[in-house]
Amino acid sequence: MDSPDFRAILERIAEEIERTPGRGRPADYIPALAARDPRHFGMAVAEPDGTVYGVGDWREPFSTQSITKVFTLALDLAREGDALWEHVGREPSGNPFNSLVQLEYENGIPRNPFINAGALVVTDRLHTRTGDAAGTLLSFLRTESGNPGLDFDPQIAASESAHGDRNAALAHFMASYGNIDNPVPVLLDQYFRQCSLTASCADLALATAFLARHGLRADGTRLLTRSQAKQVNAVMLTCGTYDAAGDFAYRVGLPGKSGVGGGIIAVVPGRCTLCVWSPGLDERGNSVAGVAALDRFTTLTGLSIF
Amino acid sequence: MDSPDFRAILERIAEEIERTPGRGRPADYIPALAARDPRHFGMAVAEPDGTVYGVGDWREPFSTQSITKVFTLALDLAREGDALWEHVGREPSGNPFNSLVQLEYENGIPRNPFINAGALVVTDRLHTRTGDAAGTLLSFLRTESGNPGLDFDPQIAASESAHGDRNAALAHFMASYGNIDNPVPVLLDQYFRQCSLTASCADLALATAFLARHGLRADGTRLLTRSQAKQVNAVMLTCGTYDAAGDFAYRVGLPGKSGVGGGIIAVVPGRCTLCVWSPGLDERGNSVAGVAALDRFTTLTGLSIF
Amino acid sequence: MDSPDFRAILERIAEEIERTPGRGRPADYIPALAARDPRHFGMAVAEPDGTVYGVGDWREPFSTQSITKVFTLALDLAREGDALWEHVGREPSGNPFNSLVQLEYENGIPRNPFINAGALVVTDRLHTRTGDAAGTLLSFLRTESGNPGLDFDPQIAASESAHGDRNAALAHFMASYGNIDNPVPVLLDQYFRQCSLTASCADLALATAFLARHGLRADGTRLLTRSQAKQVNAVMLTCGTYDAAGDFAYRVGLPGKSGVGGGIIAVVPGRCTLCVWSPGLDERGNSVAGVAALDRFTTLTGLSIF
Amino acid sequence: MDSPDFRAILERIAEEIERTPGRGRPADYIPALAARDPRHFGMAVAEPDGTVYGVGDWREPFSTQSITKVFTLALDLAREGDALWEHVGREPSGNPFNSLVQLEYENGIPRNPFINAGALVVTDRLHTRTGDAAGTLLSFLRTESGNPGLDFDPQIAASESAHGDRNAALAHFMASYGNIDNPVPVLLDQYFRQCSLTASCADLALATAFLARHGLRADGTRLLTRSQAKQVNAVMLTCGTYDAAGDFAYRVGLPGKSGVGGGIIAVVPGRCTLCVWSPGLDERGNSVAGVAALDRFTTLTGLSIF
């Protein structure tokens, strides 16, 4: 099967997005996110061999936020395998309102690794296994993206921490069920640092490519088994976009993971990975222009999994 | 891309299932389901051109139950298009416990068309549009399967009705929000008849094939647009197996829909459709041997969407 | 202990209420309630010997609605005693939002006899024991009030039935747990008739007096044991005013039961019973002027139980 | 109205309790509570003039736990008055399951001052007003009980803190809604110290007497207005015994507050206060022998408020 002409398709999408009014509003709970101009738009496609195409602000660093949850999941799954699933589920979580009641109803086991409670558990476990969850993540991302300058943003991490009462509540609540190993302040420090990672569309499309390569890293060594890579894609599809996972599957039809910084990564298994960024969000926390661009991408290329 | 040798693969799966102990327990809320022997196992694969392969009890009729929700959805979507989504969502529902509270929280709009509340809404709308929801469904299934003998089972419909208080509660509750058009007793009669449809794996694999043909019926006419067919597949993947949608995506990696009669249909878009049947269920209401067989199928053929 | 001068106190309260602006809004879900003028105000006090004092519209009939739940409870408790409490709890229900989830969480056992679900259970049980729950209620109220003209309002009962989907949902839901004996349509007919009872403040203050007489009816025969009468008062205090029971206890400090017709009955054990009526409701469904008048009554007389 | 012969009544109750098998089980989440012998039983009655009667282990110190929530509430209400009610409600909370979901549903405002979330808010506010919530409480209790030896138990406070993840979760969660003023660790330290107070039935019956004196302290100065004292009694009645408030009102018929150390205080407004202690708890966290003794007390004396 020939590859589509990704360069031409990206140009066409960028033009269409340019002409489309309405970009949503940047997240405003911390200043660094609120300050981004919603007119930013960047998009990158990486092929499994490391070729990368881009358009617009595709080399501009932005705050990755929840996108890092995918990498933390993969890094822990690579280390502990299926034992992870005794501590976090892999079912969609229903709406945000339920996060706490479900946690209570299910005895401190979060529904999936991509809601905050679940990501806290995964970070906790990775930290126990490595002694440095955030450092493990950073090292992996620098290598896979080929960008040694990738780093956390201490100011954003501090802002997250200052607004971190809800995450602290989740962590203590799960600790009361014995589902957290590390002291809560240690865990939160690790977690907020991960959220603060700054990277570009190019960086993230490349760093995600192991999921299009069925688990192989850029250097050809194996991070995940073929089956595990498929499983991470499945969890992204069913749980990757907050309470809009069904809608995202319906419109875009690709495994994806969004962050409140306005970025979204997506995977066409075996074919390519994508990262799109535009800071304006819809009411469910996903980038307005980002979802629209991915929707156009699957329509123009026919690359949906469905 | 060449097709796998479906016949050989089905034989191999049947042998493996045969050797595997533990089949779960049949649903026991109505006698007709409880009476089925959990050792039954049948599986069929249909190619888009109508070729069908099978193994075991693949020609034995069984109670389809919730599997019909897929066809009712497609038949209504074909008629009213996106307007349907103002009356039912397309997001996973979280766990069973939430069914009623979510309905209350979201003002009588069910989360998706495959939970009972959502299927009641879809049936109600199809009935308003056609004057005979159950008849429209039956006619469609007879034509697509090429089996004019397909029919509802009045005894099962009567049993469902006798145990129908919870569905009656859901229907009245949604009616209190103005989300049901027909009188509740009329709606319940239509709904319980649909649940009572009896069909075989061969029938259902063929009847589902329009989803592998991107919306085209057996005679080449179009039921759904390409985009709508993709959307039905997406809803099946995220919502098709009760509270195990994430787990099913993780293990099987195909859009699927199960019923408490022990049947499961699944779709490999563009390639084939499957139906597997074995009456023993796991604790979330999905056929134990059925899920295992589909898991083996995607492993042996590599036909997962991920 | 001398009785306060009830006549003078009622006159004073009526004058104060007259001068107070803001009466809330009548219930508007059925026309007969919406049509009542919120400027109506009546109040009656009955002494255990049957002496009754009143002010304002104290002889004007109004729709009693949920107030009848107290009498149905007493009539069933008199017949089956503590066995009733296996089918309905006696704990406050938290807020309205929880009604359905609690019912699900607690396997179809409603929290108390004064939420709709609980009143449906009590009516169902009284109907099973008497063959005519509504008739039993009516007969009791006519005798205790000394008003043989008391009756149900068929037009209001029909309106309730036409807006009865939520109560139908509750009844079917509890039936699915085996907690309803009679066919749901029969039960709903009994229930809606009770809700439609029309009576005046004078009627209701007199009919409630058995609770001030520690269980004795007007003719000196015993309906409830002393202990049961105390128990009904306790349930009224903790559960009698929807989600405002705590606030009502805090402000008024008497066992009371309100209805969305704007009436409230209250009990000063051993001393007197009260009924106040004004159609305008607050956002929690209790009469604005009614609560204010009872608040003034306990302040002026010192007759709070606390 | 003559007082009953409290001494004789207490003796009789103690004898009956002695003969009754089944005492429940002590709380076991911290060692200091688990170690208490469930055969302990003590009971004290204090008259408004400071006369105190007792039986059994009425002078034995025990861990007061949640009983101190009544005093903290009174001490804060005395300082800030009705403004407190903008930060905590006064409605019963439904069942324990709801604690977190209600907090979320109601935007971080706990239902009442006697659930843990509400007590944290009251402690937080008292600490802001006094600079030393625990010290203010201790000073008050020493004075009212006439026992300068009353003190916190540092070992119990440390145990509470070591098992404090759920309370930490509640505090952080409310902080995320802006409903906590002090840093969470400071607040928790204050809170756990209060829970660790050790006192006897005699101490607590005397310390509670301001609620029987309509707000007057032992020295005749006023802590609460008459109206506020009535209000605290009302909140105790509707919310004082966890999820058994309705049952307690039904059986005992007095405002009361229990603690998981096995103590219960109760008030007969204008007449007397009681404290009973026995470490064995029922499944809802209330002392089995304690509730039984209070039930007998109101039956023998007729002193119920209903």
Side-chain angles (χ1 to χ4, degrees):
Chain A
M1 201 182 301
D2 289 336
S3 268
D5 180 348
F6 286 133
R7 195 178 311 269
I9 287 167
L10 291 181
E11 293 293 342
R12 179 165 166 191
I13 291 171
E15 279 166 32
E16 292 182 12
I17 295 291
E18 178 77 21
R19 287 196 308 269
T20 311
R23 288 287 176 89
R25 297 180 47 188
D28 57 5
Y29 72 100
I30 61 172
L33 298 182
R36 298 311 299 251
D37 184 335
R39 284 168 301 183
H40 276 300
F41 174 80
M43 190 169 183
V45 178
E47 292 184 307
D49 66 2
T51 311
V52 60
Y53 307 88
V55 72
D57 303 318
W58 69 301
R59 293 204 175 281
E60 170 88 5
F62 62 89
S63 186
T64 59
Q65 298 289 329
S66 291
I67 292 175
T68 54
K69 292 175 169 62
V70 173
F71 306 108
T72 314
L73 170 63
L75 290 165
D76 188 72
L77 198 58
R79 282 164 176 79
E80 70 169 318
D82 281 353
L84 170 63
W85 304 116
E86 296 166 25
H87 300 273
V88 61
R90 51 200 187 218
E91 294 300 328
S93 72
N95 57 39
F97 154 76
N98 286 317
S99 52
L100 269 167
V101 67
Q102 283 189 330
L103 211 45
E104 194 159 14
Y105 187 68
E106 296 176 0
N107 299 315
I109 308 294
R111 294 281 291 176
N112 67 63
F114 293 157
I115 55 174
N116 286 6
L120 284 162
V121 166
V122 176
T123 298
D124 179 62
R125 301 189 70 75
L126 183 61
H127 193 65
T128 298
R129 261 144 210 81
T130 62
D132 183 5
T136 302
L137 170 70
L138 188 58
S139 168
F140 174 81
L141 292 174
R142 284 176 173 169
T143 305
E144 296 304 300
S145 68
N147 178 357
L150 279 189
D151 215 339
F152 302 123
D153 180 327
Q155 195 182 337
I156 290 182
S159 280
E160 298 285 350
S161 180
H163 294 81
D165 272 312
R166 190 171 278 245
N167 283 311
L170 291 171
H172 278 293
F173 191 61
M174 293 188 292
S176 78
Y177 286 101
N179 200 21
I180 294 293
D181 287 343
N182 295 284
V184 169
V186 170
L187 168 58
L188 291 174
D189 175 61
Q190 287 288 322
Y191 180 76
F192 292 136
R193 287 175 68 207
Q194 293 179 44
C195 293
S196 79
L197 182 92
T198 298
S200 70
C201 289
D203 296 330
L204 291 171
L206 286 166
T208 307
F210 73 100
L211 288 174
R213 287 187 299 254
H214 305 299
L216 295 182
R217 295 183 59 156
D219 64 2
T221 61
R222 186 164 286 286
L223 177 68
L224 299 178
T225 66
R226 193 178 182 94
S227 172
Q228 286 174 327
K230 166 182 144 182
Q231 290 162 359
V232 172
N233 284 332
V235 176
M236 288 173 75
L237 190 87
T238 51
C239 317
T241 43
Y242 308 108
D243 191 35
D247 202 53
F248 189 84
Y250 181 93
R251 286 183 61 189
V252 175
L254 292 179
K257 180 78 200 80
S258 59
V260 293
I264 309 176
I265 58 173
V267 180
V268 188
R271 304 296 297 277
C272 64
T273 48
L274 299 105
C275 182
V276 59
W277 169 61
S278 181
L281 307 181
D282 61 27
E283 75 285 355
R284 293 194 281 195
N286 299 306
S287 169
V288 171
V291 174
L294 291 169
D295 185 352
R296 289 303 293 150
F297 180 85
T298 54
T299 301
L300 292 172
T301 61
L303 284 176
S304 161
I305 61 173
F306 294 115
Chain B
M1 200 183 299
D2 290 335
S3 269
D5 180 348
F6 286 133
R7 196 177 310 270
I9 286 167
L10 291 181
E11 295 292 344
R12 179 164 167 193
I13 291 170
E15 279 165 33
E16 292 182 13
I17 294 290
E18 178 78 21
R19 289 197 307 269
T20 311
R23 289 285 176 90
R25 295 179 48 189
D28 57 7
Y29 72 101
I30 60 171
L33 298 182
R36 298 311 301 249
D37 184 335
R39 285 169 300 182
H40 276 298
F41 174 80
M43 189 168 185
V45 178
E47 291 184 307
D49 65 1
T51 312
V52 60
Y53 307 89
V55 73
D57 303 319
W58 68 301
R59 294 203 175 281
E60 169 88 7
F62 63 89
S63 186
T64 59
Q65 297 289 329
S66 291
I67 292 176
T68 53
K69 292 175 169 60
V70 173
F71 305 108
T72 314
L73 170 63
L75 290 167
D76 188 71
L77 198 57
R79 282 163 176 78
E80 71 168 319
D82 281 354
L84 170 63
W85 305 115
E86 295 166 26
H87 300 273
V88 61
R90 51 200 187 220
E91 293 301 328
S93 73
N95 56 40
F97 153 77
N98 286 318
S99 53
L100 269 167
V101 66
Q102 282 188 331
L103 211 45
E104 192 160 13
Y105 186 67
E106 296 175 0
N107 299 315
I109 308 295
R111 294 281 289 177
N112 67 62
F114 293 157
I115 54 174
N116 286 5
L120 283 163
V121 166
V122 176
T123 298
D124 179 62
R125 302 190 69 74
L126 183 61
H127 193 65
T128 297
R129 261 146 211 79
T130 62
D132 183 6
T136 302
L137 171 70
L138 188 58
S139 167
F140 175 80
L141 292 174
R142 284 175 174 171
T143 306
E144 296 305 300
S145 67
N147 179 357
L150 279 188
D151 215 338
F152 302 122
D153 180 326
Q155 194 182 339
I156 290 182
S159 280
E160 299 284 350
S161 180
H163 295 79
D165 272 312
R166 190 171 279 245
N167 283 310
L170 291 172
H172 278 294
F173 192 60
M174 293 188 292
S176 77
Y177 286 101
N179 201 21
I180 294 293
D181 287 343
N182 295 284
V184 169
V186 170
L187 169 58
L188 291 174
D189 174 62
Q190 288 288 321
Y191 179 77
F192 291 136
R193 286 174 69 207
Q194 292 179 46
C195 292
S196 79
L197 182 92
T198 298
S200 70
C201 289
D203 297 328
L204 291 171
L206 287 166
T208 307
F210 73 100
L211 289 174
R213 286 187 300 253
H214 306 299
L216 294 182
R217 297 182 58 156
D219 63 3
T221 61
R222 185 164 288 286
L223 176 69
L224 299 178
T225 66
R226 193 177 182 95
S227 173
Q228 287 173 327
K230 166 181 145 183
Q231 291 162 358
V232 172
N233 284 332
V235 177
M236 289 173 76
L237 190 85
T238 51
C239 316
T241 42
Y242 308 108
D243 192 34
D247 202 53
F248 189 83
Y250 181 92
R251 286 183 62 189
V252 175
L254 293 179
K257 181 76 201 83
S258 59
V260 293
I264 309 176
I265 57 172
V267 181
V268 187
R271 304 297 298 278
C272 65
T273 48
L274 299 104
C275 182
V276 59
W277 170 60
S278 181
L281 307 181
D282 61 28
E283 74 285 354
R284 294 194 281 194
N286 298 305
S287 169
V288 171
V291 174
L294 291 170
D295 185 351
R296 289 303 293 149
F297 179 86
T298 54
T299 302
L300 292 172
T301 61
L303 284 177
S304 161
I305 61 173
F306 295 115
Chain C
M1 199 183 301
D2 289 335
S3 269
D5 180 347
F6 286 133
R7 195 177 310 271
I9 286 168
L10 290 181
E11 294 292 344
R12 180 164 166 193
I13 291 171
E15 280 165 32
E16 292 182 14
I17 294 291
E18 178 78 21
R19 287 196 309 268
T20 311
R23 288 286 176 90
R25 295 180 47 190
D28 56 7
Y29 72 100
I30 60 172
L33 298 182
R36 299 310 300 249
D37 184 337
R39 284 168 301 184
H40 276 299
F41 175 80
M43 188 170 185
V45 179
E47 291 185 308
D49 66 2
T51 311
V52 60
Y53 307 88
V55 73
D57 302 319
W58 70 301
R59 293 202 175 282
E60 169 88 8
F62 62 89
S63 185
T64 58
Q65 296 289 331
S66 290
I67 293 176
T68 53
K69 292 176 169 61
V70 173
F71 305 108
T72 313
L73 170 63
L75 290 166
D76 188 71
L77 198 58
R79 281 162 176 79
E80 72 168 318
D82 280 353
L84 170 63
W85 304 115
E86 295 167 25
H87 300 273
V88 60
R90 50 202 188 219
E91 294 300 329
S93 72
N95 55 40
F97 154 75
N98 285 317
S99 51
L100 269 168
V101 67
Q102 283 188 332
L103 211 44
E104 193 161 12
Y105 187 67
E106 296 175 0
N107 299 316
I109 308 294
R111 294 281 289 177
N112 67 63
F114 293 157
I115 55 174
N116 286 5
L120 284 163
V121 166
V122 176
T123 298
D124 179 62
R125 301 189 71 74
L126 183 61
H127 193 66
T128 297
R129 261 145 210 80
T130 62
D132 183 6
T136 302
L137 171 70
L138 188 59
S139 167
F140 174 81
L141 292 174
R142 284 176 174 170
T143 306
E144 296 305 299
S145 67
N147 178 357
L150 279 188
D151 215 338
F152 302 123
D153 181 326
Q155 195 182 338
I156 290 182
S159 280
E160 299 285 350
S161 180
H163 294 81
D165 273 312
R166 191 172 279 246
N167 283 310
L170 291 171
H172 278 293
F173 192 61
M174 293 188 292
S176 77
Y177 286 101
N179 201 21
I180 294 293
D181 287 342
N182 295 284
V184 169
V186 170
L187 169 58
L188 291 175
D189 174 61
Q190 289 288 321
Y191 180 76
F192 291 136
R193 287 174 68 205
Q194 292 179 47
C195 292
S196 78
L197 182 93
T198 297
S200 70
C201 289
D203 296 330
L204 291 170
L206 287 166
T208 307
F210 73 99
L211 289 174
R213 285 187 300 255
H214 305 299
L216 296 182
R217 297 182 59 155
D219 65 2
T221 61
R222 184 164 288 285
L223 177 69
L224 299 178
T225 66
R226 192 178 184 94
S227 173
Q228 286 173 328
K230 166 181 144 183
Q231 290 162 359
V232 173
N233 284 332
V235 177
M236 289 173 76
L237 190 86
T238 51
C239 317
T241 42
Y242 308 108
D243 192 34
D247 201 54
F248 189 84
Y250 181 93
R251 287 183 61 189
V252 175
L254 293 179
K257 180 77 200 83
S258 59
V260 293
I264 309 176
I265 57 173
V267 180
V268 188
R271 304 297 298 277
C272 64
T273 48
L274 299 105
C275 181
V276 59
W277 171 60
S278 181
L281 307 181
D282 61 28
E283 75 285 354
R284 293 194 282 193
N286 298 306
S287 169
V288 171
V291 174
L294 291 170
D295 185 351
R296 289 303 293 149
F297 179 86
T298 54
T299 302
L300 292 172
T301 61
L303 283 177
S304 161
I305 61 173
F306 294 115
Chain D
M1 202 183 297
D2 289 337
S3 269
D5 181 348
F6 286 133
R7 194 178 311 270
I9 286 167
L10 291 180
E11 294 293 343
R12 179 164 163 192
I13 291 170
E15 280 166 32
E16 292 183 12
I17 294 290
E18 178 77 22
R19 287 196 309 268
T20 311
R23 288 288 175 90
R25 297 181 47 189
D28 57 6
Y29 72 101
I30 61 172
L33 298 182
R36 298 311 299 252
D37 184 336
R39 285 168 302 183
H40 277 299
F41 175 81
M43 190 169 184
V45 179
E47 292 184 308
D49 66 2
T51 312
V52 60
Y53 307 88
V55 73
D57 303 318
W58 70 300
R59 292 202 176 282
E60 170 88 7
F62 63 89
S63 186
T64 59
Q65 298 288 330
S66 290
I67 292 175
T68 54
K69 292 176 169 62
V70 173
F71 306 107
T72 313
L73 169 63
L75 290 165
D76 188 73
L77 198 58
R79 281 163 176 79
E80 70 169 319
D82 280 353
L84 170 63
W85 304 116
E86 295 166 25
H87 300 272
V88 61
R90 50 202 187 216
E91 294 300 328
S93 71
N95 57 38
F97 154 76
N98 285 318
S99 53
L100 268 168
V101 67
Q102 284 189 331
L103 211 44
E104 193 161 14
Y105 187 67
E106 296 176 359
N107 298 314
I109 307 295
R111 294 280 291 177
N112 68 63
F114 293 156
I115 55 174
N116 285 6
L120 284 162
V121 166
V122 176
T123 298
D124 179 62
R125 301 189 70 75
L126 183 62
H127 193 64
T128 298
R129 261 145 209 81
T130 62
D132 183 5
T136 302
L137 171 70
L138 188 58
S139 167
F140 175 81
L141 292 174
R142 284 175 173 169
T143 306
E144 296 304 300
S145 68
N147 177 358
L150 279 189
D151 215 339
F152 301 123
D153 180 326
Q155 195 182 338
I156 289 182
S159 280
E160 299 283 351
S161 179
H163 294 79
D165 273 311
R166 190 171 279 245
N167 283 311
L170 291 172
H172 279 293
F173 192 61
M174 293 188 292
S176 78
Y177 287 101
N179 201 21
I180 294 292
D181 286 343
N182 295 284
V184 169
V186 170
L187 169 57
L188 291 174
D189 175 62
Q190 289 287 321
Y191 180 77
F192 292 135
R193 287 174 68 206
Q194 292 178 45
C195 291
S196 79
L197 182 92
T198 297
S200 69
C201 290
D203 297 329
L204 290 171
L206 287 166
T208 307
F210 72 100
L211 288 174
R213 286 186 300 254
H214 305 299
L216 295 181
R217 296 183 58 156
D219 65 3
T221 61
R222 185 164 287 285
L223 177 69
L224 299 178
T225 66
R226 192 177 184 95
S227 172
Q228 286 174 328
K230 166 181 144 182
Q231 290 162 359
V232 173
N233 284 332
V235 176
M236 288 173 75
L237 190 87
T238 51
C239 316
T241 42
Y242 309 107
D243 191 35
D247 202 54
F248 190 84
Y250 181 93
R251 286 183 61 189
V252 175
L254 293 178
K257 180 77 201 81
S258 59
V260 293
I264 309 176
I265 57 172
V267 180
V268 188
R271 304 297 298 278
C272 65
T273 48
L274 299 105
C275 182
V276 60
W277 170 61
S278 182
L281 307 181
D282 61 28
E283 75 285 354
R284 293 195 282 194
N286 299 305
S287 169
V288 171
V291 174
L294 291 170
D295 185 352
R296 290 302 293 150
F297 180 85
T298 53
T299 301
L300 292 172
T301 62
L303 283 176
S304 161
I305 61 173
F306 294 115

